[in-house]
Amino acid sequence: MKTNKILAIGFMAATTLFTVGCSDDFLKTDDPKGEPLEGYYTTDARIQEALIAAYDPIHWPDWAFDQYNALNIDAEIMGDDFWVGGADKADMQNWHKLFNYEGDENNTLNSLWTVDYSGVKRCNDVLKYLGWATDITEENGKSYEMQARCLRVYYYNMLWHYFGNIPFYLENLSSLPYTAPQFTADEVYNQLIVELEAVIDSKVLPMKYYKDKNGKDDEGQLGRVTQAMAYMMYAEIVMYQNDNARFAKALGYMKEIIAAPQYELNTNFANIWETSGEWCNESIWEINYEHSIAERDWGTPLAIGGTVLPTLISPKEWPGDDLWSKGQDGWGFLPVRLETYEMFSSTDERREATCWDVRGATYKPRYQDTQIWLAKYRPMDKNNESGPTSKNLNYNNNYRYYRYAEALLNAAELSLRTGGSGSGEAKTWLNEVRTRAGLRGFETVTVNDVLNERHLEFVGEGKRYWDLVRAEGISEASSNNKASMVLVPDEFGYRTNSWTAKKKYIPIAQGELDSDPDLVQNNYK
């Protein structure tokens, strides 16, 4: 069983939510004993409660605030590997609209905005409460500070990727009208990258938390942010911004991960997605879910427990197989495109581990059904059998956020884009990934080779769309890796609009615009 303090404690302290531009109700925080906050958050134990509360929103996106926002689905539906699916175009209409690049203020990822600003608010709380602590050691205080600051970058990074031009603040709003200035996407980047550099330079976070041979983790700390996680986030942000001036630093961080004995490729790609593969040596950071302690149910979506992702992306009225019994029910979102299946070589071990091919099975087809589903997060009986509440909401599949394979491919690309040879270290790193997949390595590699390999390696992991968008600024990228060339109308008429640079940042929800009249909507038309 995967027990984890980051998951099992849940949110005890900061139970309020935060959305930019809302009323002052969000400031009315009641602590567990009803005493003033200044008198409650004065001990190490209570600061830890606040810190755990700051971690809690990372579990929410798959289902929160009346909307499903599984992180991989949100990105993949705007890419080129999947259809949206579901019952019809009205089922999760916002996904279908964003898929067709016609999202609007009423069809966007509004709950993701609320989730991430809730996380920002809670991180700011921790940093404020640290000043009230009386029994906290200098070492613990610094650790809590850097965890909160790293998490805050994580939440803002999500908002920046999707919405770009967002309200930004490092201290919670304390007076009417409770609104923050809206920064441009470039201004947000400049803030985030400096903040993340400060966290990294502090060298406070451990490179990794360990999982011992008996399956017990490092005092229950798996799921906390680490130095390696910060390195990966740094490379992701810098590469998405195409900030050439910081490529060398990002490459140095990737080299540190590659040189670290704690990290290596899992020799079996398929095992990564098994419960036994969670937090393996390839794992750099995961979002934990657990079925056996689930309190999550239809009336309590934010409670601790499992994830609904496997239910979202699986067939309806399943006839049963060795792994998922008859009568189990999926909702039919995110069917894999046939072209995605066919891009894999027949000898590529990733194909079967990525694509759950059930062509020929009899079940109730839904909209855009291809009978090929994402195997990486497919539902299995063993992954929710111990759930005490609604089982289809509580699978124990951790969300694999950063993997060592990505560090290798980041390093290969960064090396090439900083003048490295295509027959040198970049080739070595890329070929490690190919060899693990059962493929022959290249004699020399290009940036486009790296982008192609990323496409194969990360299907369904929420990486491809961002790679297509950032490749617009990479001269070496070929047309099959650029958003403006790939994200165009399809032969089935499912996607009738093309991606353009105006589509980089999705619309801000109408509720946020109503709450803050100074918010400027993204120019998505």
Side-chain angles (χ1 to χ4, degrees), residues 24-78:
D24 61 357
D25 288 346
F26 78 93
L27 294 173
K28 298 175 182 176
T29 306
D30 295 322
D31 69 78
K33 294 192 175 182
E35 58 195 89
L37 289 176
E38 292 86 346
Y40 185 82
Y41 290 107
T42 58
T43 67
D44 186 289
R46 288 171 176 175
I47 297 296
Q48 287 195 55
E49 290 178 9
L51 181 59
I52 297 303
Y55 274 96
D56 200 57
I58 67 175
H59 306 103
W60 296 356
D62 68 326
W63 177 37
F65 310 113
D66 299 319
Q67 192 177 73
Y68 300 107
N69 273 312
L71 298 180
N72 58 333
I73 300 181
D74 280 349
E76 295 292 357
I77 55 98
M78 294 190 287

Side-chain angles (χ1 to χ4, degrees), residues 289-301:
Y289 290 99
E290 173 54 43
H291 59 142
S292 64
I293 57 172
E295 297 175 6
R296 189 182 216 195
D297 213 331
W298 286 106
T300 53

Side-chain angles (χ1 to χ4, degrees), residues 185-233:
D186 286 345
E187 290 172 334
V188 174
Y189 170 79
N190 290 334
Q191 292 282 334
L192 292 185
I193 206 65
V194 170
E195 177 74 352
L196 189 52
E197 286 174 343
V199 172
I200 288 171
D201 290 346
S202 75
K203 300 186 184 302
V204 167
L205 300 177
M207 193 66 165
K208 183 177 183 177
Y209 289 103
Y210 292 90
K211 181 175 175 181
D212 69 22
K213 293 180 181 179
N214 297 318
K216 296 179 180 179
D217 59 34
D218 190 354
E219 297 182 358
Q221 305 309 302
L222 292 177
R224 290 188 188 269
V225 295
T226 62
Q227 189 81 340
M229 181 272 191
Y231 285 166
M232 293 297 293
M233 190 159 57

Side-chain angles (χ1 to χ4, degrees), residues 129-270:
Y129 300 157
L130 278 170
W132 304 344
T134 57
D135 73 338
I136 197 168
T137 67
E138 181 178 357
E139 180 181 5
N140 283 357
K142 204 66 178 173
S143 173
Y144 304 155
E145 175 192 348
M146 293 306 162
Q147 288 182 66
R149 292 174 70 180
C150 186
L151 274 175
R152 186 170 59 185
V153 173
Y154 165 80
Y155 292 123
Y156 270 130
N157 181 35
M158 193 77 65
L159 292 161
W160 173 68
H161 265 74
Y162 282 103
F163 299 98
N165 311 296
I166 57 173
F168 189 90
Y169 54 96
L170 297 178
E171 293 184 7
N172 285 334
L173 310 176
S174 58
S175 60
L176 288 169
Y178 305 116
T179 58
Q182 184 178 17
F183 285 23
T184 67
D186 286 345
E187 290 172 334
V188 174
Y189 170 79
N190 290 334
Q191 292 282 334
L192 292 185
I193 206 65
V194 170
E195 177 74 352
L196 189 52
E197 286 174 343
V199 172
I200 288 171
D201 290 346
S202 75
K203 300 186 184 302
V204 167
L205 300 177
M207 193 66 165
K208 183 177 183 177
Y209 289 103
Y210 292 90
K211 181 175 175 181
D212 69 22
K213 293 180 181 179
N214 297 318
K216 296 179 180 179
D217 59 34
D218 190 354
E219 297 182 358
Q221 305 309 302
L222 292 177
R224 290 188 188 269
V225 295
T226 62
Q227 189 81 340
M229 181 272 191
Y231 285 166
M232 293 297 293
M233 190 159 57
Y234 186 90
E236 176 187 280
I237 293 172
V238 165
M239 293 166 74
Y240 194 64
Q241 182 73 3
N242 276 311
D243 184 355
N244 295 12
R246 286 185 166 92
F247 280 178
K249 180 178 284 189
L251 175 58
Y253 294 153
M254 295 302 97
K255 286 183 174 180
E256 282 191 46
I257 293 175
I258 292 169
Q262 302 99 316
Y263 296 107
E264 62 184 358
L265 291 178
N266 188 326
T267 56
N268 184 337
F269 183 84

